[in-house]
Amino acid sequence: MIKQKVRVKTFKIDDITVTGQSDQTVLEVAREHNIYIPTLCYLEGLSCVGSCRMCLVEIKGCRELAPACTSKIKEGMEVVTTSPDIQAHRNMILSMLFSERTHTCSVCVVNGNCELQDKTVELGLEHSLVPYLEQRFEIDASHKNFVHDPNRCILCTRCVRVCDEIEGAHALDLVDRGINTRIIHDMDEPWADSQSCTSCGKCVYVCPTGALYEKDISTEEKLKKTDIILNLIKSRKKDD
Amino acid sequence: MTKIRLATIWLDGCSGCHMSFLDMDERLIELAPYFDLVYSPYVDAKEFPKEVDLSIVEGAVSSDHDLEMIKKIRANSKTILALGDCAVTGNVSALKNLYGTDAVLQRGYFELADINKNKRYPSQIVPKLLDKVIPLHEAVKIDYFLPGCPTPADAVYETIKALIEGREINVNELTRFGK
């Protein structure tokens, strides 16, 4: 395969002139220049899938808002990261995330340590803008150390990506479509029966909500360790 | 100074948010000159009065009585504040929705009942459960939302004070879902 040359591109984010490499995304360049764009499914060190749409931005000339985490930069492009329209979209997306599954924060093991919950504070959402759908999924507590509660899953696929890209096991994947989509282990088997799961716990540590959690741990204990990915990548590079 | 006419009520909730109201402690004395409490579980008023300036509603809409009450509250209140996660999201009260009303009644009145020889669900006095527990804003228009389970006393105090003084505050700095 012929590798494309990486070039330097200059463009504008919120009227600030920035530069980045042509293989970078709008989000990466924005973060390098300390311009904040809210994210949920994005996790540094993992591939970007743009599944949560929290990082929607306006790109001048584009008819629709685009996710910053999957939009590659272009020379001379003009990006707007905040506007009343973008805020309204983000609030609606957040409302939909809350309404699709059952996120009863007060009885959740990650209450106070949840990225979805944090987003309501950050975006100023006080109540859901759409009715709750209240569908129920079976909880998988078969694993000796961990629990999978699809009722609290936002389908960000961080767990799928970390298992595939960092652990190299690809024990997790998605099944079904739309509102019925679920994270599964192997061929939709109980977690305990998964042949490919190494029980490393990385999926649990990067899960932004209470969909994956450690057994026998209280809400006061720190459950999530999202920085584990970057630390692993760094130490693996050192070993090379 | 004209005192505002204040009402508080809990629908399908645990009264925890009303406990937070009391948890304002001495600040209640500070707020007391600004309002007349015309209806509340704290006072002995039987009928929801007319021309209420501010109604603070805790709990979700779960039964036909709750629905009737929230409509009455809306018709007689200038402003409604949804207090706590049950009022704002349905919260624990709405967990019933995952199984459905029939399953919950079956469990509560038959499977776990020691005395219910007739095997009947009470149809009198006890309000009839709706098919689905809903947050207040799915039933009527709500003016202000204050999440939290329960809403912290500080958040209740700051919000009531801001409403009395007619200024805006950012409730997300004071409270959030779940906490």
Side-chain angles (χ1 to χ4, degrees):
Chain A
M1 196 174 83
I2 303 163
K3 231 182 177 181
Q4 244 188 339
K5 270 187 183 170
V6 175
R7 295 176 190 281
V8 172
K9 306 271 181 190
T10 306
F11 66 106
K12 279 183 176 176
I13 303 177
D14 292 338
D15 279 333
I16 300 163
T17 305
V18 293
T19 52
Q21 292 174 345
S22 54
D23 60 347
Q24 283 187 299
T25 62
V26 171
L27 181 70
E28 283 168 349
V29 179
R31 290 208 167 183
E32 276 176 16
H33 290 80
N34 293 322
I35 300 166
Y36 180 71
I37 299 172
T39 56
L40 207 48
C41 69
Y42 173 81
L43 191 63
E44 205 175 345
L46 301 182
S47 60
C48 298
V49 289
S51 68
C52 76
R53 305 271 146 173
M54 199 50 66
C55 64
L56 283 181
V57 290
E58 202 179 293
I59 298 171
K60 286 229 170 108
C62 291
R63 206 164 52 88
E64 285 159 356
L65 299 178
C69 71
T70 54
S71 300
K72 286 273 187 298
I73 64 167
K74 282 180 189 153
E75 183 69 32
M77 76 196 299
E78 286 179 48
V79 179
V80 178
T81 64
T82 46
S83 73
D85 185 37
I86 295 171
Q87 292 292 354
H89 273 81
R90 286 180 186 153
N91 278 339
M92 182 52 86
I93 290 161
L94 196 54
S95 290
M96 286 173 168
L97 288 176
F98 268 101
S99 69
E100 192 171 279
R101 302 281 160 105
T102 310
H103 298 279
T104 311
C105 297
S106 58
V107 290
C108 181
V109 71
V110 298
N111 184 10
N113 195 13
C114 168
E115 290 180 45
L116 182 68
Q117 198 185 26
D118 290 343
K119 278 285 165 284
T120 62
V121 177
E122 192 187 310
L123 301 182
L125 187 83
E126 300 151 7
H127 69 285
S128 174
L129 306 172
V130 287
Y132 294 93
L133 298 174
E134 330 261 9
Q135 57 166 355
R136 185 166 67 93
F137 294 95
E138 290 301 325
I139 295 172
D140 181 357
S142 61
H143 194 280
K144 65 182 193 310
N145 298 330
F146 311 119
V147 181
H148 174 215
D149 182 357
N151 298 294
R152 297 188 185 278
C153 179
I154 57 167
L155 302 171
C156 69
T157 68
R158 276 189 192 181
C159 54
V160 177
R161 285 176 282 151
V162 78
C163 187
D164 179 28
E165 296 163 18
I166 306 294
E167 179 61 10
H170 202 131
L172 296 148
D173 220 316
L174 295 166
V175 73
D176 287 340
R177 283 169 175 269
I179 195 170
N180 297 315
T181 312
R182 279 181 303 116
I183 300 290
I184 51 163
H185 293 85
D186 287 358
M187 302 299 280
D188 199 3
E189 290 152 28
W191 198 343
D193 298 344
S194 169
Q195 296 290 309
S196 47
C197 174
T198 60
S199 298
C200 70
K202 290 188 189 72
C203 55
V204 175
Y205 300 141
V206 299
C207 174
T209 69
L212 295 168
Y213 59 91
E214 280 180 84
K215 276 183 180 172
D216 304 323
I217 206 161
S218 73
T219 47
E220 297 305 314
E221 293 169 85
K222 189 156 173 57
L223 290 156
K224 303 297 177 185
K225 301 167 191 166
T226 46
D227 50 357
I228 193 174
I229 307 307
L230 278 184
N231 292 340
L232 270 171
I233 292 171
K234 269 183 208 163
S235 53
R236 282 177 188 175
K237 272 184 186 162
K238 268 185 220 162
D239 293 343
D240 291 344
Chain B
M1 185 183 67
T2 17
K3 288 183 171 185
I4 67 158
R5 285 166 60 78
L6 175 75
T8 81
I9 184 169
W10 81 66
L11 303 177
D12 190 2
C14 71
S15 86
C17 294
H18 269 79
M19 293 301 121
S20 283
F21 194 95
L22 292 178
D23 204 23
M24 285 194 280
D25 301 330
E26 69 275 12
R27 287 173 293 186
L28 278 168
I29 300 164
E30 184 197 325
L31 291 176
Y34 295 99
F35 60 74
D36 279 327
L37 195 60
V38 292
Y39 185 88
S40 172
Y42 305 132
V43 295
D44 192 22
K46 309 288 184 212
E47 281 294 316
F48 195 85
K50 291 191 184 306
E51 291 173 8
V52 176
D53 293 304
L54 171 63
S55 288
I56 298 175
V57 186
E58 176 199 333
V61 177
S62 180
S63 65
D64 55 357
H65 176 256
D66 294 337
L67 193 60
E68 192 187 311
M69 272 312 292
I70 194 67
K71 283 180 180 167
K72 193 185 264 186
I73 293 165
R74 181 69 276 178
N76 294 298
S77 312
K78 277 187 200 154
T79 309
I80 299 179
L81 167 71
L83 181 69
D85 274 0
C86 291
V88 178
T89 71
N91 199 27
V92 174
S93 313
L95 283 174
K96 173 170 85 69
N97 293 347
L98 300 180
Y99 298 87
T101 299
D102 288 342
V104 169
L105 290 175
Q106 179 76 23
R107 183 82 176 146
Y109 280 93
F110 306 136
E111 289 170 23
L112 299 175
D114 296 326
I115 43 159
N116 188 7
K117 282 180 189 161
N118 298 331
K119 289 279 175 194
R120 275 204 311 231
Y121 166 66
S123 56
Q124 292 173 336
I125 305 169
V126 179
K128 191 175 180 302
L129 291 181
L130 300 175
D131 291 340
K132 203 176 159 186
V133 177
I134 51 171
L136 303 183
H137 67 273
E138 284 185 35
V140 295
K141 185 187 171 291
I142 299 296
D143 304 287
Y144 299 100
F145 298 86
L146 194 60
C149 183
T151 311
D154 289 348
V156 180
Y157 168 73
E158 292 295 343
T159 307
I160 292 179
K161 210 169 161 220
L163 285 171
I164 289 169
E165 291 170 2
R167 61 182 164 83
E168 280 189 22
I169 53 159
N170 180 8
V171 297
N172 287 294
E173 288 170 0
L174 307 166
T175 180
R176 58 156 72 183
F177 294 148
K179 277 237 148 179

